Amino acid sequence: MGVLSEELKNQIRDNFPKYPNKRAVVLPALHLVHDAMREVSTGAIVEIAELLELHPSEVHDTMSFYNFFKDEKHTLGKHRVWVCRSISCMLRGGEEVLEQVCNKFHIHPGQTSADGKVTLEFAECLGACEGAPCILVDDECHMDMDVESVSALIEKL
Amino acid sequence: MAKFEPVLFARINKPDSTSLKSYMADGGYARIKDILSMAPADVTNIVKDAGLRGRGGAGFPCGLKWTFLPKDHPGPIYLCINADESEPGTFNNRILMEKDPHQLIEGIMIACHAIRSNSAYLYLRYEYGRSYRALDAAVKECYAAGLLGRNIKGTGFNLDIVLHRGAGAYICGEETGLIESLEGKRAWPRIKPPFPAIEGLFRKPTIVNNVETLCCVTHILYRGKEWFQSIGVPPDPNNPRDPGSYGPKLYCVSGHVNKPCCVELPLGVTARELVEEHAGGVWKGRKAKAIVPGGISMGFLCEKEFDTKLDFAGPGKVGCLGLGTAAVVVVDDQTSMVDVLFNCCRFMSHESCGQCTPCREGTAWMTKILTRIRVGQGRLEDLDLLMEVASSMGIIPGTTICGLSDGAAWPVKNAISKFRGDFEEYINSKRSTMTSAQQLMEVH
């Protein structure tokens, strides 16, 4: 029994016609697996490599460059919360927003809450500086955060 | 002078601005058939003669870049759209993609025709989910309407656009880092030459252009090069190598201002005008201590430099690295430059790809030295040490492959030469003014 479902493998294969070679599908494949499984395990790397006709170490080499992808020792919680810590957010209270989220879930950046609900990370500039400080919850950016509004937001997760 | 009317941002506040229907109602794609029927070299010449310079940071002349492609190449030739906008303080491309994706797609079509490319890869930073959804919908609309795919509008021109999402790495904004990442590898920039125009994506001739640059291309073809040159700053007659700073520019203003914003203005506005007239002034009735002219890697302006013109030549005249992304970040007079510089250095250390030793080690050690200063254990010699490290890393001293390192060194050089008093005061106090939230940042 493999790690990746046939459906997931087909979603990866759907990317092949977009590129002249299969190696270019490494990032799309990692995203698909990561989204579906909340991690990219060693077993998944081996199966991605098989599909893309690469050595597993080549897939791992690429994956490990991007902090974005988590292995099986760092499985993501249900939600991923990124708090921006770059300059525009820092100047307008981004660090305090991060501290608030840490206190709320009793975790540090990089950790997942005990109930598995939230993985907290810091982000480098999210490109939403007109609404600094900002945070990204999964795929949605929330702007103009402060200690109160971020509390209300994460309360609902 | 007549009030400047936005062009790139003309549609962003309209309802339904992202749809094909609304774009076409405003005249979008109206002349695409005629443009695709022109000789590619003629399109290139119009863009070249207009004097359009790349909006991504380096300011390289766009049309000239296109002419570097080999002549009569059998293909394929690729266009990569650099939408990995991640320079701290920069968000203009995000607004363009979220609010008016068809303006960009039309620019991509025109550019691809000019460079004889039939495939475009749009490399979008992962964090831009809304941009992805807007672009994905717009590309699908174009395929359905016969504006993408085969034999577009009966012109015989074929074009496919692939949206490719990144995975959170600043270095993917460097054009050869982007190419490596697209190819499925770690985003380690390549040694140049060969430049991408000769050997780029999948080892084929490739042009990499920024989102805003391509949006400008659309308007240059519709309105003409004379229109483009009626905006902005002409070349300095005393400098034969200055290509000028023509056209509109999207300026991002953030940090300690009352109304952070992104505003479209003719190139050449001053930092002070941007802050006072467009961003509502410095917040809380304070004064500005420092202004970042174009993203943190460009360095800082100090108070006596706030009237610097933010065109391609301006920031360089006062010791900054350049115009960069024209992302202006304002720092008020209650903020210590020690904290600001630490933030810049920590960012660069986090984002250095690690390929070149001077950058990997230099950014890390500068961050460590600033950490020591911040915890109250700094020594005055640390400032000279920081300058020494900063001077030894980058393309300019010739020790690294790409310019990230120059951008990491520049805020250090500027901060210490222009705000040395802030650092000396902090060090001499022997105390740390860090808050608990700042300490939390420190350990990670």
Side-chain angles (χ1 to χ4, degrees):
Chain A
M1 181 70 187
V3 178
L4 307 183
S5 66
E6 203 48 39
E7 188 195 351
L8 202 46
K9 286 183 179 174
N10 282 332
Q11 287 174 348
I12 294 171
R13 290 188 190 105
D14 286 346
N15 283 279
F16 291 170
K18 298 178 186 171
Y19 305 91
N21 65 41
K22 290 182 181 169
R23 176 153 197 169
V25 181
V26 170
L27 277 191
L30 288 170
H31 276 307
L32 284 165
V33 172
H34 200 241
D35 280 352
M37 312 186 82
R38 314 298 288 165
E39 62 176 33
V40 183
S41 63
T42 309
I45 289 174
V46 170
E47 290 182 30
I48 291 170
E50 247 167 55
L51 277 170
L52 306 187
E53 295 168 37
L54 296 168
H55 194 278
S57 68
E58 292 174 294
V59 176
H60 184 261
D61 181 59
T62 301
M63 174 179 142
S64 62
F65 181 79
Y66 304 92
N67 288 333
F68 183 89
F69 301 111
K70 303 299 171 195
D71 61 20
E72 63 260 56
K73 292 189 199 81
H74 302 88
T75 308
L76 290 172
K78 187 158 171 269
H79 295 286
R80 204 168 180 182
V81 176
W82 278 276
V83 180
C84 181
R85 61 171 181 173
S86 291
I87 188 161
S88 303
C89 285
M90 179 275 272
L91 291 171
R92 295 178 77 96
E95 293 168 332
E96 286 70 23
V97 168
L98 180 66
E99 188 179 36
Q100 178 70 14
V101 184
C102 288
N103 292 344
K104 159 80 188 166
F105 292 109
H106 309 290
I107 48 177
H108 276 121
Q111 297 177 333
T112 300
S113 60
D115 59 2
K117 213 194 294 179
V118 165
T119 299
L120 173 64
E121 289 161 87
F122 43 64
E124 298 299 353
C125 189
L126 291 171
C129 320
E130 79 272 44
C134 58
I135 74 170
L136 196 64
V137 179
D138 300 320
D139 215 9
E140 199 61 59
C141 187
H142 300 267
M143 299 192 189
D144 296 311
M145 289 285 116
D146 56 30
V147 170
E148 285 79 40
S149 57
V150 80
S151 303
L153 184 73
I154 56 180
E155 199 68 49
K156 288 189 218 135
L157 290 178
Chain B
M1 204 174 101
K3 192 178 177 296
F4 173 77
E5 287 290 331
V7 179
L8 301 166
F9 268 5
R11 302 185 62 259
I12 58 164
N13 292 321
K14 295 194 172 186
D16 194 33
S17 65
T18 59
S19 77
L20 177 60
K21 194 175 151 206
S22 129
Y23 185 67
M24 289 182 78
D26 289 328
Y29 298 120
R31 289 180 49 210
I32 192 69
K33 196 176 166 183
D34 298 342
I35 296 167
L36 296 181
S37 305
M38 291 166 68
D42 291 344
V43 179
T44 300
N45 280 334
I46 291 172
V47 173
K48 193 176 155 195
D49 294 346
L52 170 62
R53 294 176 67 176
R55 269 38 178 169
F60 195 82
C62 174
L64 183 63
K65 196 187 220 181
W66 294 357
T67 65
F68 293 163
L69 289 166
K71 305 284 174 278
D72 306 317
H73 191 277
I77 292 170
Y78 295 110
L79 177 73
C80 291
I81 299 96
N82 188 343
D84 191 61
E85 177 172 73
S86 0
E87 177 70 26
T90 313
F91 49 95
N92 50 324
N93 288 342
R94 192 201 84 234
I95 299 175
L96 286 170
M97 293 186 286
E98 275 180 10
K99 304 283 189 179
D100 201 356
H102 283 287
Q103 174 178 233
L104 170 61
I105 292 171
E106 191 165 12
I108 295 170
M109 291 167 73
I110 296 167
C112 282
H113 174 59
I115 66 171
R116 297 178 294 119
S117 168
N118 305 116
S119 13
Y121 290 95
L122 192 149
Y123 191 101
L124 180 69
R125 69 177 298 201
Y126 186 81
E127 292 83 345
Y128 281 7
R130 270 183 229 171
S131 299
Y132 176 77
R133 293 188 283 277
L135 283 165
D136 188 48
V139 166
K140 285 186 176 127
E141 280 183 309
C142 285
Y143 275 107
L147 285 159
L148 285 176
R150 300 200 60 79
N151 192 19
I152 294 167
K153 294 278 155 200
T155 57
F157 178 63
N158 308 324
L159 177 62
D160 287 307
I161 299 180
V162 173
L163 302 183
H164 189 97
R165 294 185 82 170
Y170 174 72
I171 194 61
C172 295
E174 200 277 347
E175 60 178 9
T176 57
L178 182 153
I179 287 170
E180 287 284 310
S181 177
L182 236 169
E183 290 184 357
K185 304 174 199 158
R186 39 180 61 216
W188 277 357
R190 294 178 182 170
I191 293 173
K192 293 157 281 260
F195 286 93
I198 305 300
E199 189 183 308
L201 185 63
F202 307 120
R203 309 199 71 132
K204 299 293 180 190
T206 302
I207 294 295
V208 185
N209 282 147
N210 173 267
V211 169
E212 188 185 335
T213 311
L214 289 165
C215 291
C216 288
V217 166
T218 306
H219 294 286
I220 290 170
L221 266 289
Y222 274 71
R223 294 158 187 257
K225 59 189 179 195
E226 292 78 14
W227 161 78
F228 196 73
Q229 298 201 331
S230 72
I231 301 164
V233 183
D236 177 358
N238 298 318
N239 179 1
R241 294 179 63 190
D242 178 21
S245 301
Y246 288 123
K249 180 76 193 86
L250 301 176
Y251 289 95
C252 302
V253 193
S254 65
H256 291 154
V257 290
N258 283 314
K259 284 188 290 180
C261 61
C262 182
V263 56
E264 180 179 350
L265 292 167
L267 269 164
V269 64
T270 68
R272 196 186 300 277
E273 280 170 65
L274 272 173
V275 174
E276 296 302 328
E277 290 167 32
H278 301 280
V282 182
W283 75 348
K284 301 180 182 176
R286 294 177 188 167
K287 285 184 174 159
K289 174 188 276 186
I291 297 181
V292 173
I296 57 169
S297 54
M298 295 300 117
F300 303 97
L301 303 171
C302 60
E303 198 186 353
K304 65 175 195 283
E305 299 163 346
F306 289 171
D307 290 310
T308 301
K309 271 191 175 189
L310 299 185
D311 58 16
F312 286 105
K317 291 176 185 164
V318 290
C320 294
L321 189 51
L323 177 65
T325 59
V328 168
V329 184
V330 177
V331 178
D332 74 19
D333 57 2
Q334 304 295 304
T335 305
S336 169
M337 289 304 285
V338 178
D339 292 338
V340 173
L341 187 62
F342 171 78
N343 189 279
C344 298
C345 286
R346 199 221 49 229
F347 173 86
M348 293 296 177
S349 176
H350 189 257
E351 296 300 331
S352 171
C353 79
Q355 187 178 200
C356 307
T357 308
C359 178
R360 181 186 65 241
E361 296 300 315
T363 53
W365 279 105
M366 292 194 304
T367 308
K368 284 177 193 165
I369 295 166
L370 281 159
T371 301
R372 177 163 73 191
I373 294 174
R374 289 226 304 174
V375 298
Q377 293 171 9
R379 301 173 279 210
L380 286 174
E381 310 90 88
D382 285 344
L383 302 179
D384 298 327
L385 184 57
L386 279 168
M387 285 299 257
E388 189 186 327
V389 175
S391 304
S392 68
M393 52 195 278
I395 291 180
I396 295 170
T399 58
T400 61
I401 290 171
C402 89
L404 183 146
S405 206
D406 301 87
W410 227 263
V412 176
K413 292 186 200 175
N414 273 188
I416 293 178
S417 59
K418 297 181 185 184
F419 303 94
R420 198 176 179 105
D422 261 39
F423 290 87
E424 290 179 347
E425 197 185 315
Y426 199 110
I427 292 168
N428 286 332
S429 78
K430 306 274 181 208
R431 287 190 304 123
S432 172
T433 59
M434 283 166 73
T435 63
S436 60
Q438 285 174 332
Q439 281 163 7
L440 180 66
M441 282 297 163
E442 196 85 24
V443 291
H444 295 280

